[in-house]
Amino acid sequence: MVLVPSKSQSSDYGVFGLDPTYEFESAPLKLELPSYILIPGKNFYQRIDGSGGGAAIASWATTFKVTIPLDFIRP
């Protein structure tokens, strides 16, 4: 959303992430820890006076994911 169109400038953002994974050899089980951060450019967000919102971490997330096959369910 552009608050002051006359002061609006284009900007970009970057998303960096990783997904460390461990698969057990003795059991059909996989553990994951997907994580990411979003870093916007200086003018990606606009303040109420039209100036750039600054560059910092805008959002980050980490989740814990467990995957196990459901072989015990009959078709």
Side-chain angles (χ1 to χ4, degrees), residues 16-41:
F16 304 96
L18 55 102
D19 186 9
T21 303
Y22 181 79
E23 292 189 48
F24 290 87
E25 293 180 17
S26 60
L29 179 66
K30 181 167 70 169
L31 303 176
E32 298 177 76
L33 194 66
S35 306
Y36 77 90
I37 60 172
L38 185 140
I39 302 172

Side-chain angles (χ1 to χ4, degrees), residues 35-60:
S35 306
Y36 77 90
I37 60 172
L38 185 140
I39 302 172
K42 178 183 170 192
N43 295 308
F44 189 78
Y45 296 108
Q46 191 179 55
R47 294 187 175 141
I48 195 77
D49 66 356
S51 64
I57 294 176
S59 68
W60 67 90

